[in-house]
Amino acid sequence: MALVKPFKAVRPTRDKVALVTTRSYDIYQKKELKDILRLNPFSFLHILLPGFKFHKTVHGTKRFKMVHNRYREFKENGIFESDASPSYYLHQKSYKGNVFWGIIGLASIEDYQNCVIKKHEKTLSEREALFGNYLEVTGFNAEPVLITYPDHEFLSSLIEKYRKTRAEYEFTTNKNRTHLMWLLDEEDEVLKISEAFGSMPSLYIADGHHRTASSNFLYNKMAAGNDEKAKELSKYFMAYFIPESNLRITSFFRFVNHLNGLHKEEFLIALDEYFRIENVGKQYYKPSKKHHFSMYLDGYFYKLYMRKSAFKPQNELDHLDSQILFKYILEPILGIHDPSNDKNIHYLPETGNEMQLQYLVDSGDFAVGFGCFPVSVEQLKTVADNNLAMPPKSSYIEPKLRSGLTIYELS
């Protein structure tokens, strides 16, 4: 059964939270990043990119130590404060008619090791070690892992209850995302939340596999040492727990630089072995069901339907459209053998980039582009339950979380 705990978060003061919290820094365009750092002294980006203060880019352990220093300065200057008692944090994010909500708390590394918390992606050991060392040196975790759980009546009742009350935080970002957050610190309610999660046999990582694996790396390192406080703190990692029904999964476009030496007609003939092909001209096509794909090639959109006679799944992974695309097109026809590292393939989230499937091919940047039907929550869970790993960029999962909203200190 799952162990989920409340904690004493370090978080921005109410008057500065809109100025402090950020998207992941690697999402920002270079000019936007520089403007924020120049104009907003309260931005959490000053902590994540500490060299800006000295007009210098720093890397490795030196950067990690400077991140730690900037964080301490934010606390000393009263930008961040520590909560007095362990709490859960109920958060809601809304935009364009989409409303997401979840509960921020601590997940257990032992649950991760014992497969109570299940994963559906492979991780790279080098990145695990890099971010694990980052956590150790900086001493804090500021971006929760997104974990999904089966809908639960009591947990769902919390958002209905607290929406009627004043939130601790209420702010809207310049991207028109509105955030609300409430503290759940009443002893009886905290106990019921812990018990609700404790009744669940499994939880599933939706987004943040490398962050989880890095916390596991740190835990294993601390367990081998003599610092009892560090051992205890590293047993847990911060997570945002979201009900399955509230999770939104969309897909990624896939673009390939070349046709692997084939002419257009040769490529279409090769596809014909596995797919029914329909040219729909200039009209954008979005797949409407599993095993249907969109393709843009040489000025035209195509519908690709997997031939039932060609579809011979050997395991649960083979039912995923991202795996079908890899197994029947990317690898055998286009020569993409390592979709994680091959420089000839490029991924782009479909959400917000619908016109890019046509534009990036017409511009000459790529020879062909593909769209997939999104993975379902049930497919994600089935892959995880069978200890399998999805191909890279099989799912684009929302909500995306902000850094610096709540912080879990590791030292």
Side-chain angles (χ1 to χ4, degrees), residues 47 171 228 269 309 318 346 370 379 390:
I47 295 174
F171 64 96
E228 295 303 321
I269 289 171
S309 59
D318 287 344
H346 174 72
F370 300 95
Q379 285 180 307
M390 292 184 184

Side-chain angles (χ1 to χ4, degrees), residues 64-342:
F64 300 167
K65 290 180 178 178
M66 291 180 69
V67 167
H68 173 81
N69 292 341
R70 291 293 87 73
Y71 172 65
R72 291 301 169 192
E73 287 173 9
F74 268 51
K75 289 189 70 177
E76 291 163 3
N77 292 336
I79 300 169
F80 283 129
E81 293 181 347
S82 301
D83 281 329
S85 60
S87 303
Y88 288 108
Y89 302 86
L90 179 64
H91 174 265
Q92 176 181 290
K93 175 182 178 180
S94 57
Y95 64 95
K96 294 182 179 179
N98 299 300
V99 180
F100 303 100
W101 67 270
I103 297 170
I104 301 172
L106 297 185
S108 164
I109 287 293
E110 290 183 353
D111 280 354
Y112 176 70
Q113 293 180 344
N114 296 327
C115 295
V116 174
I117 296 175
K118 298 184 178 183
K119 58 186 180 180
H120 65 266
E121 287 183 10
K122 293 180 180 177
T123 53
L124 302 174
S125 57
E126 310 87 66
R127 288 186 63 188
E128 294 174 20
L130 177 65
F131 192 62
N133 291 331
Y134 170 88
L135 292 174
E136 181 182 10
V137 176
T138 62
F140 67 85
N141 184 339
E143 189 173 338
V145 172
L146 188 64
I147 291 179
T148 191
Y149 64 86
D151 284 45
H152 188 281
E153 184 177 358
F154 170 70
L155 297 179
S156 295
S157 73
L158 294 172
I159 191 66
E160 299 305 324
K161 171 185 174 181
Y162 280 92
R163 277 176 180 156
K164 300 172 185 176
T165 67
R166 184 189 181 191
E168 172 71 9
Y169 292 154
E170 182 175 6
F171 64 96
T172 300
T173 71
N174 62 355
K175 299 296 182 182
N176 204 26
R177 272 61 171 162
T178 298
H179 294 262
L180 303 173
M181 195 179 85
W182 298 264
L183 270 67
L184 310 182
D185 57 1
E186 295 179 7
E187 188 174 340
D188 183 58
E189 198 163 67
V190 165
L191 179 60
K192 287 182 178 179
I193 295 170
S194 300
E195 289 175 344
F197 284 114
S199 69
M200 299 175 188
S202 298
L203 303 173
Y204 295 84
I205 299 173
D207 192 20
H209 284 79
H210 275 97
R211 274 171 278 152
T212 309
S214 299
S215 293
N216 182 58
F217 176 93
L218 177 64
Y219 171 70
N220 290 333
K221 185 174 181 179
M222 294 300 101
N226 297 316
D227 187 335
E228 295 303 321
K229 180 182 178 182
K231 284 182 189 179
E232 183 61 27
L233 291 171
S234 67
K235 281 183 179 179
Y236 306 97
F237 62 98
M238 189 168 62
Y240 186 106
F241 299 91
I242 184 170
E244 292 174 5
S245 63
N246 202 221
L247 201 63
R248 183 184 179 195
I249 305 179
T250 52
S251 58
F252 279 84
F253 290 136
R254 286 153 167 74
F255 298 90
V256 182
N257 288 345
H258 57 71
L259 296 182
N260 202 24
L262 299 173
H263 295 295
K264 171 185 172 181
E265 293 76 15
E266 293 173 322
F267 175 59
L268 290 172
I269 289 171
L271 288 178
D272 187 71
E273 181 177 353
Y274 306 112
F275 300 90
R276 291 167 49 207
I277 305 170
E278 181 182 344
N279 186 327
V280 294
K282 303 294 184 179
Q283 180 182 355
Y284 173 69
Y285 169 65
K286 182 176 181 177
S288 58
K289 64 168 101 174
K290 288 193 300 183
H291 309 342
H292 287 198
F293 303 84
S294 60
M295 180 177 74
Y296 188 77
L297 172 69
D298 194 27
Y300 296 96
F301 286 99
Y302 293 82
K303 297 179 182 179
L304 304 181
Y305 302 154
M306 184 77 200
R307 293 187 185 277
K308 292 181 180 179
S309 59
F311 183 49
K312 299 176 181 178
Q314 298 178 345
N315 55 40
E316 294 297 335
L317 189 64
D318 287 344
H319 290 272
L320 300 184
D321 283 357
S322 56
Q323 177 70 359
I324 290 172
L325 193 59
F326 171 69
K327 189 174 179 179
Y328 293 94
I329 301 178
L330 297 179
E331 185 174 42
I333 300 176
L334 295 178
I336 305 295
H337 301 291
D338 183 358
S340 296
N341 300 301
D342 196 310

